[in-house]
Amino acid sequence: MTVNNPKELFTKMLSDVRQRTEKTAKICQELGDAAQNPQIKEALQSRAFLQDKILSTLDRCFELIGEKPVQISGRMEDVFVEDFRRELAEIKVPAAKALFVLIKANQLMHLRIAEYVALIAMADVTGHLGVGVLLESCLADKLAFVERTRRLIRHTIEIKHDIRLAA
């Protein structure tokens, strides 16, 4: 897609986030299955479930700006999943696998946070304050997930440390 003005860039970026949100639900499902830890699996399945709410919010953003999503040919998620599978296969200890899954989920969410920060700024610049509010709600969701993941990482490390002390 050729970009000729800020609105077209905004539409492209918003389309990119929407497309990635669809893929993120599948990635979270796969991460949860790979974790082999019921708590982590539940957290990541819940994350996948919430993606539908975010997709609805993004669709509302498109309605407000009077545009439709454009097709984006990004491969970032595909590369992320390929690398994840390869690296996970090299980890043999279940506790280390669980920690690795959480780290990768956190990494993915930080990328999303950066996208939302840019989109919110663009919504403000293009005069779509209502869109900015909707995007901020999506950002808040990502920030909450990062905080939850941080606590799960800490909990996973503490459990592993207790096991090591007992040995």
Side-chain angles (χ1 to χ4, degrees):
M1 173 183 176
T2 304
V3 175
N4 297 311
N5 58 53
K7 185 173 182 177
E8 288 177 0
L9 178 60
F10 185 62
T11 301
K12 180 185 181 313
M13 289 178 61
L14 192 58
S15 296
D16 195 32
V17 165
R18 190 188 187 294
Q19 186 173 314
R20 287 182 182 169
T21 299
E22 290 175 325
K23 289 183 178 183
T24 299
K26 294 173 189 157
I27 292 170
C28 285
Q29 191 70 39
E30 183 171 339
L31 289 172
D33 292 342
Q36 300 175 347
N37 176 307
Q39 291 175 323
I40 295 170
K41 184 174 185 170
E42 180 181 314
L44 289 169
Q45 285 175 338
S46 294
R47 163 68 18 216
F49 172 80
L50 289 172
Q51 295 307 310
D52 288 338
K53 178 184 129 246
I54 292 171
L55 283 172
S56 296
T57 303
L58 294 172
D59 288 342
R60 177 69 179 144
C61 291
F62 279 106
E63 289 174 21
L64 290 173
I65 65 171
E67 295 290 333
K68 297 211 179 288
V70 295
Q71 188 61 35
I72 305 295
S73 62
R75 285 196 12 91
M76 188 177 89
E77 282 77 14
D78 298 335
V79 172
F80 181 89
V81 170
E82 288 170 17
D83 287 348
F84 168 77
R85 289 176 183 153
R86 181 183 41 76
E87 292 173 27
L88 184 68
E90 297 170 358
I91 301 171
K92 303 301 177 202
V93 179
K97 278 188 180 204
L99 188 57
F100 177 76
V101 166
L102 288 170
I103 290 167
K104 287 299 182 179
N106 205 27
Q107 189 178 51
L108 187 61
M109 281 307 119
H110 278 285
L111 290 171
R112 297 292 170 267
I113 288 168
E115 291 171 331
Y116 279 101
V117 167
L119 280 170
I120 292 164
M122 290 189 78
D124 291 345
V125 167
T126 57
H128 294 289
L129 301 180
V131 172
V133 169
L134 293 172
L135 292 172
E136 284 181 8
S137 75
C138 294
L139 174 61
D141 181 74
K142 303 297 181 213
L143 292 170
F145 181 74
V146 165
E147 178 59 26
R148 169 61 56 191
T149 304
R150 184 194 63 75
R151 288 193 301 259
L152 283 169
I153 289 170
R154 182 178 181 93
H155 179 72
T156 302
I157 291 170
E158 287 172 351
I159 288 173
K160 184 179 177 188
H161 183 68
D162 288 344
I163 292 169
R164 190 171 276 180
L165 287 176

